[in-house]
Amino acid sequence: MDNNETEQIKNAPEKKNRKSGHKKVNKRKLRYGSVAAAITVVFVAAVVLINVLASQMTTRFGLKIDVTDKQLFEISDDTIDYLKTLEEEVDMSVMASEEELDNGGMYYKLVKEITQKYAINSDKIKLNFYDPEKNPQIVNKYKELYSDSIQAQDVVINCGSRIKVIPMTDLYEIGYDQSGQQKIKAITAEKVLTSAIMFVSNPNPPKVAILKVSSADTVSGSLSKLNTIYEANGYVVETVDPLTEDISEDYSLVVLPAPYNDLTQTVIDKLDAYLYNNGDLGKNLFYMASFEQRETPNLDAFIEEWGISVDPGYVKSSDSKKSVNVPIAGLGNYFSSPLGQIESVNDDNDKEIKLVNKTDVPLVVPFSRPLTALFDTDSDRETHVLVSVPESEVVNENNEVVDDQQTSHNAVVVGSKHVYKDSSKLSSNVIVSGTTYMFDYAITSVNEVNNQELLINISNHYSGKDEGITILSKSLELDSINISDAQASAIKYVVIVVLPVLIIAIGCVVFIRRKNR
């Protein structure tokens, strides 16, 4: 064999072994296929890991999306900001297991979700869920502080020796539909829970006395929730009959709701003694008048000593653009009410008193008797206008104009008396509102007006209470959920089942195609 033949044999391509029937392994395809398989496995593992981490983050930090129209499962920024100010630990114990709440329907689930929001937003809130039958020692512990019985599904708020026990039914407002069937009208959970935390975390909550006087039925109906508003903002509220009981100096604020008839001189003397407070002053009277009152010469003379005259008739705006229709529960209908204007008032340190937080939200002043500030300053007394109704007129009870001058009329005025002791300025105050309907429970139950916030901020400032917050119920009167249970289940099925299967299927297709190249 010559050299040329030898070289041809060396360079000839290898022949397949036909007897064996095997193909030579394509290492390139194997390498790419292995990489594709590895990527698929890693991707699927990452999806599973993300789901696990998301579940853990949801449980630990509340990373959930509330798709309800009114954020039923959320707490407000005001509550979150308040929780950041807590200095003492607060125990929040739900007397139901997590499993029971998870399986009990939407409103049970809501209790779990909202209470968790409190714990998530404050390390001072210690949240626990207890089955009272399996944890009788917890119930017995709270019974040492609470004289009444603690039931299953109650929510117990405790701080030191102070305790509030809230039945789960208090976290909703029950009403009736047109057929007479019971239904849940509103969610009150945040309002009630925040109020309870405010109460137990304050070792010396301010006390309010609401005087029991004979008022018109419309006035009584309008102010029927007044005690609830004060309690929801951290006050202890008591009812006092001034005819038979003294007005204790323990009260930071006394509310006088539009007596239909005049006060006796005995009651006037009790009010005077309360405000004088043995010369130490520091007390406050909030008188809410009404155009429906009869003549009250004793009360009028007493109020005039504080620099305020409560005049007859009521204020009305002739400009429809400066009025809004509002529901007045005490009167059982909607009425056109003029818009009020908050006046700028400074405290003793020349700092402006913050009467409302949102100045762009309107304030309504329905049926207010016009008030006159009789003087600005007079010796040891002074007056300040807090709320007025600009460009308005005065009409009588028959809606006949008695003063058609389009001028500003006062609706809330405060009169103060001062005394100096050891270089400290001490003051008592008489706050007069020209109308009780300004604080009607239908008006103070909505976020669209500033009336409840005004009531609380006035009370807080003059009673010396720390700045509070105003939490309203979340109404369910309108369809407020943008996604149904069926839609939620469908979304859950797609995320948990369909997407992972689809990802695995795509990975398999890619792997097979690359393997067969």
Side-chain angles (χ1 to χ4, degrees):
M1 185 179 296
D2 59 20
N3 291 334
N4 289 335
E5 290 177 341
T6 303
E7 194 67 28
Q8 289 176 2
I9 292 172
K10 287 181 180 179
N11 295 331
E14 293 182 6
K15 295 182 179 180
K16 297 179 181 178
N17 188 346
R18 295 182 181 179
K19 293 181 179 179
S20 64
H22 292 294
K23 292 182 180 181
K24 186 177 179 180
V25 175
N26 189 327
K27 294 183 178 180
R28 184 179 180 186
K29 287 187 176 181
L30 179 61
R31 184 170 64 251
Y32 282 112
S34 299
V35 171
I39 291 174
T40 303
V41 171
V42 170
F43 187 78
V44 172
V47 171
V48 173
L49 181 60
I50 290 172
N51 276 324
V52 172
L53 289 175
S55 177
Q56 293 296 319
M57 294 290 282
T58 295
T59 301
R60 184 175 177 84
F61 299 107
L63 300 181
K64 298 180 181 180
I65 299 175
D66 188 345
V67 296
T68 58
D69 181 40
K70 298 188 178 180
Q71 299 291 283
L72 301 180
F73 292 83
E74 298 294 332
I75 58 177
S76 66
D77 290 339
D78 287 339
T79 288
I80 292 173
D81 291 340
Y82 167 72
L83 293 176
K84 293 177 182 177
T85 68
L86 291 177
E87 297 180 354
E88 296 184 71
E89 285 193 357
V90 176
D91 290 328
M92 180 181 288
S93 299
V94 182
M95 294 301 162
S97 67
E98 292 187 70
E99 182 180 4
E100 179 184 354
L101 296 176
D102 285 335
N103 298 328
M106 172 184 169
Y107 298 109
Y108 281 71
K109 180 72 172 176
L110 182 141
V111 173
K112 178 184 174 183
E113 296 286 343
I114 288 186
T115 52
Q116 285 179 333
K117 289 295 191 301
Y118 282 83
I120 288 167
N121 285 284
S122 174
D123 57 3
K124 296 295 184 181
I125 302 292
K126 305 304 177 185
L127 174 65
N128 289 287
F129 299 91
Y130 297 109
D131 182 336
E133 293 185 359
K134 296 179 180 179
N135 299 274
Q137 74 281 3
I138 301 298
V139 177
N140 292 332
K141 181 187 80 169
Y142 287 131
K143 280 185 177 180
E144 296 177 2
L145 302 172
Y146 188 69
S147 57
D148 291 337
S149 61
I150 296 175
Q151 305 292 333
Q153 301 175 355
D154 285 348
V155 180
V156 181
I157 312 293
N158 168 235
C159 179
S161 61
R162 300 176 298 280
I163 189 170
K164 273 277 190 179
V165 177
I166 305 165
M168 189 179 291
T169 51
D170 285 359
L171 304 181
Y172 319 111
E173 182 179 333
I174 307 297
Y176 295 89
D177 59 21
Q178 294 181 347
S179 63
Q181 297 295 317
Q182 276 194 345
K183 69 172 185 175
I184 294 177
K185 295 175 57 179
I187 304 299
T188 59
E190 182 187 358
K191 175 181 176 181
V192 172
L193 292 173
T194 300
S195 169
I197 294 171
M198 292 173 67
F199 175 80
V200 302
S201 62
N202 187 349
N204 298 298
K207 298 177 69 175
V208 172
I210 298 179
L211 298 186
K212 184 180 179 181
V213 294
S214 176
S215 300
D217 290 341
T218 51
V219 169
S220 299
S222 197
L223 299 181
S224 60
K225 300 290 181 67
L226 188 61
N227 61 329
T228 304
I229 295 174
Y230 276 115
E231 288 172 349
N233 284 274
Y235 287 86
V236 175
V237 182
E238 297 177 355
T239 301
V240 175
D241 186 344
L243 287 173
T244 59
E245 301 174 81
D246 291 331
I247 304 173
S248 170
E249 62 182 17
D250 292 341
Y251 298 115
S252 300
L253 178 70
V254 171
V255 178
L256 175 59
Y260 188 59
N261 297 305
D262 200 11
L263 300 182
T264 66
Q265 190 58 47
T266 300
V267 173
I268 294 292
D269 292 341
K270 288 182 179 181
L271 290 174
D272 193 53
Y274 162 76
L275 291 167
Y276 185 65
N277 192 25
N278 296 316
D280 291 333
L281 303 186
K283 300 301 176 184
N284 304 278
L285 173 67
F286 200 153
Y287 168 40
M288 301 175 183
S290 169
F291 76 94
E292 297 167 301
Q293 291 173 272
R294 292 179 177 176
E295 293 186 359
T296 55
N298 290 340
L299 177 56
D300 292 344
F302 172 72
I303 296 299
E304 287 173 6
E305 290 180 15
W306 292 82
I308 305 168
S309 172
V310 184
D311 302 324
Y314 62 87
V315 177
K316 179 181 178 180
S317 177
S318 57
D319 188 348
S320 61
K321 295 181 180 179
K322 297 177 181 178
S323 300
V324 293
N325 281 331
V326 293
I328 301 179
L331 298 175
N333 209 333
Y334 281 75
F335 293 88
S336 177
S337 300
L339 297 174
Q341 176 176 297
I342 308 262
E343 301 294 337
S344 178
V345 180
N346 294 344
D347 60 17
D348 293 336
N349 298 318
D350 204 32
K351 181 180 178 182
E352 185 175 358
I353 299 172
K354 193 175 184 180
L355 296 179
V356 295
N357 294 316
K358 299 178 181 178
T359 56
D360 58 334
V361 177
L363 178 76
V364 295
V365 187
F367 300 110
S368 176
R369 293 176 64 176
L371 307 179
T372 302
L374 300 177
F375 51 77
D376 292 329
T377 59
D378 181 16
S379 183
D380 59 348
R381 296 180 185 267
E382 63 182 0
T383 62
H384 294 286
V385 176
L386 302 183
V387 178
S388 63
V389 181
E391 300 179 28
S392 54
E393 59 190 17
V394 178
V395 301
N396 60 22
E397 60 183 7
N398 296 320
N399 208 32
E400 299 169 339
V401 177
V402 295
D403 178 5
D404 60 359
Q405 294 183 6
Q406 296 298 309
T407 186
S408 178
H409 291 90
N410 301 328
V412 181
V413 180
V414 59
S416 304
K417 177 179 172 61
H418 311 296
V419 66
Y420 290 87
K421 282 194 174 184
D422 300 327
S423 71
S424 296
K425 184 180 182 180
L426 307 175
S427 303
S428 279
N429 305 283
V430 172
I431 306 115
V432 180
S433 167
T435 173
T436 57
Y437 298 120
M438 193 173 181
F439 309 112
D440 179 271
Y441 77 80
I443 292 176
T444 54
S445 297
V446 294
N447 283 312
E448 286 74 16
V449 293
N450 257 331
N451 290 47
Q452 182 179 149
E453 187 173 37
L454 177 74
L455 169 67
I456 293 304
N457 285 348
I458 288 176
S459 302
N460 286 346
H461 174 75
Y462 288 103
S463 65
K465 184 179 180 296
D466 292 337
E467 185 177 338
I469 59 177
T470 301
I471 306 297
L472 301 181
S473 303
K474 297 176 181 179
S475 175
L476 298 177
E477 288 298 312
L478 298 177
D479 293 333
S480 59
I481 298 179
N482 294 327
I483 184 170
S484 67
D485 289 339
Q487 290 171 323
S489 297
I491 293 173
K492 181 178 179 181
Y493 178 79
V494 168
V495 172
I496 295 177
V497 178
V498 176
L499 285 181
V501 169
L502 184 60
I503 290 168
I504 293 172
I506 292 173
C508 292
V509 170
V510 171
F511 172 78
I512 293 171
R513 290 189 62 185
R514 289 188 174 181
K515 185 175 183 299
N516 292 328
R517 278 182 181 176

